[in-house]
Amino acid sequence: ATPASVQPGTPVGQPGTPVIVSLDAPTLSDTASATCAGHTAGIFSFDWSALGKLASASQDGTVRIWDGDGACLSTCSAQSRSAVICISWAAAGDHIGAGLQDGTVAIWRGSTGARVAEGNGHVGQVRCLAWSPRGDLLASASLDRTAKLWDASGTCVATCSGHSSYLYCLAWTPSGDAFATGSVDKTVRVWSTSGACVAVGLGHSAPVCCLSWSGHLLASGAHDATARVWDLAGVAAASSPVNAQCTAVCSGHASRIYSVAWNTDVRRPRLASGSHDGTVRVHDGAAGVCMTKCTGHSGAVYSVAWSRSGQGLLASASQDGTVRVWDSTVGRCIAVHVGHRGGVVSVLWSPDGQRLASCSDDMTLKLWPEVVSLQGQA
């Protein structure tokens, strides 16, 4: 029998025991606390609202808004009904932004699902987008090699040109005075809110596919199996592009990196990375040294996310159909959540750090049981 102290989804055995989960194993029960079902094609992306609602973006051409119990509150679609690739819920305000396969950027009200605007400035797929921390600007990154800035009414206020190939990722500074983009051209660029390029990061030898900020430090992950840390203090005010200073190179993965994320402890910055090699690594953000290696997934790790609990909890989503939660200080897996019937493409903690959700190409979004405190665990 499973010990009473082991929470749902936890591997039975000694710490570090690998648990290989097959999507074809009928004996595995679904450990989700709620399942958001209704999409008719895979979910590419989702985001939390500040109040604990969720919005999902699907290949079926719709955005769905869900409550915390898995009930669908509204369904939104753009006029073109093109596949919805990415989504962002403004931390301040009621706006949801979405990027579509046909290059459209659409905005809806999260409270009602009413369409606010649609912007048609991109001529290629919108790969990534994000609201600024203040919620007044929406940045979009496209396969047309440009990034654009939109106001809350859907008006394009700036176009950022300079990359020589597709844009894969985008991330705002915590202060909202600039944002960064990563590209297939192997570079990182930082842009001011006027649309001017203020910094360029050179050093990766393959496409840059993920970004994460911690204060003035920017981390970039690439298909060259490395993550780089860039010191970008003060660059938002630069009058012309400066060469970004790389302060650390985090190596060790055997294949491309798909996701990077900083923890929230500025005194001990830790950078997590998820890779095609099926592992999660936690690096010292200052030195680039790998502190812990988390093993157990049997497929590529597509997404990593830190809890805001301050306990070092780290979640990962994998091609193997599982979500894992790790004690990042020692690399120990403390929970394996099963239930998705396809690869899990993204995992995010709620803004209060209490709930964990994931989305999959199985057309569902799932919420998982709360992880108990690490204090007192053996």
Side-chain angles (χ1 to χ4, degrees):
T2 302
S5 61
V6 177
Q7 55 194 306
T10 300
V12 179
Q14 297 301 314
T17 301
V19 177
I20 307 301
V21 177
S22 168
L23 297 179
D24 299 320
T27 58
L28 294 174
S29 60
D30 191 336
T31 61
S33 59
T35 297
C36 305
H39 282 296
T40 57
I43 299 175
F44 289 133
S45 175
F46 79 99
D47 200 10
W48 287 93
S49 77
L51 299 178
K53 295 180 182 179
L54 302 107
S56 54
S58 172
Q59 187 179 3
D60 67 12
T62 69
V63 166
R64 286 179 177 254
I65 302 171
W66 314 85
D67 67 17
D69 296 320
C72 182
L73 303 176
S74 55
T75 301
C76 317
S77 61
Q79 292 180 338
S80 67
R81 297 287 297 191
S82 180
V84 188
I85 306 299
C86 48
I87 197 162
S88 177
W89 200 319
D94 187 38
H95 289 106
I96 296 172
L100 277 63
Q101 172 73 33
D102 66 1
T104 299
V105 171
I107 300 173
W108 295 275
R109 293 197 180 278
S111 57
T112 63
R115 184 186 299 122
V116 175
E118 291 187 18
N120 299 301
H122 285 297
V123 294
Q125 178 193 105
V126 180
R127 183 78 177 199
C128 181
L129 86 173
W131 287 98
S132 66
R134 292 187 292 268
D136 57 337
L137 289 173
L138 178 66
S140 58
S142 171
L143 299 188
D144 68 7
R145 307 181 184 184
T146 71
K148 290 181 180 290
L149 288 171
W150 314 79
D151 64 19
S153 70
T155 300
C156 181
V157 297
T159 297
C160 308
S161 300
H163 282 295
S164 61
S165 190
Y166 303 151
L167 274 64
Y168 266 180
C169 51
L170 176 155
W172 283 92
T173 63
S175 62
D177 60 352
F179 68 96
T181 53
S183 170
V184 174
D185 68 12
K186 310 173 189 176
T187 70
V188 173
R189 287 180 177 261
V190 181
W191 313 85
S192 71
T193 53
S194 67
C197 181
V198 294
V200 180
L202 303 172
H204 282 296
S205 60
V208 179
C209 60
C210 49
L211 299 166
S212 180
W213 286 93
S214 176
H216 57 82
L217 296 178
L218 173 67
S220 57
H223 288 185
D224 61 11
T226 71
R228 288 177 174 259
V229 179
W230 313 86
D231 188 342
L232 293 160
V235 299
S239 58
S240 60
V242 301
N243 290 325
Q245 179 186 2
C246 180
T247 59
V249 178
C250 307
S251 58
H253 282 297
S255 188
R256 62 188 62 180
I257 291 175
Y258 290 133
S259 179
V260 290
W262 288 101
N263 67 356
T264 55
D265 187 351
V266 295
R267 297 167 301 175
R268 298 181 60 197
R270 295 289 184 264
L271 179 68
S273 56
S275 168
H276 187 79
D277 66 13
T279 70
V280 175
R281 288 177 176 261
V282 179
H283 312 268
D284 181 315
V289 176
C290 181
M291 307 298 290
T292 53
K293 178 182 177 182
C294 308
T295 61
H297 281 299
S298 60
V301 176
Y302 292 140
S303 178
V304 291
W306 292 93
S307 168
R308 295 179 179 271
S309 66
Q311 296 185 74
L313 293 176
L314 178 65
S316 58
S318 172
Q319 182 186 30
D320 67 12
T322 70
V323 170
R324 286 178 176 252
V325 181
W326 310 87
D327 176 352
S328 66
T329 59
V330 294
R332 181 169 68 94
C333 182
I334 61 174
V336 181
H337 295 305
V338 299
H340 281 301
R341 308 303 295 178
V344 188
V345 298
S346 182
V347 64
L348 288 172
W349 297 87
S350 59
D352 62 8
Q354 299 301 308
R355 307 195 73 185
L356 183 65
S358 60
C359 70
S360 168
D361 55 21
D362 69 359
M363 303 182 289
T364 69
L365 187 154
K366 288 181 178 287
L367 293 99
W368 305 102
E370 182 179 354
V371 176
V372 298
S373 171
L374 292 177
Q375 298 177 1
Q377 283 196 1

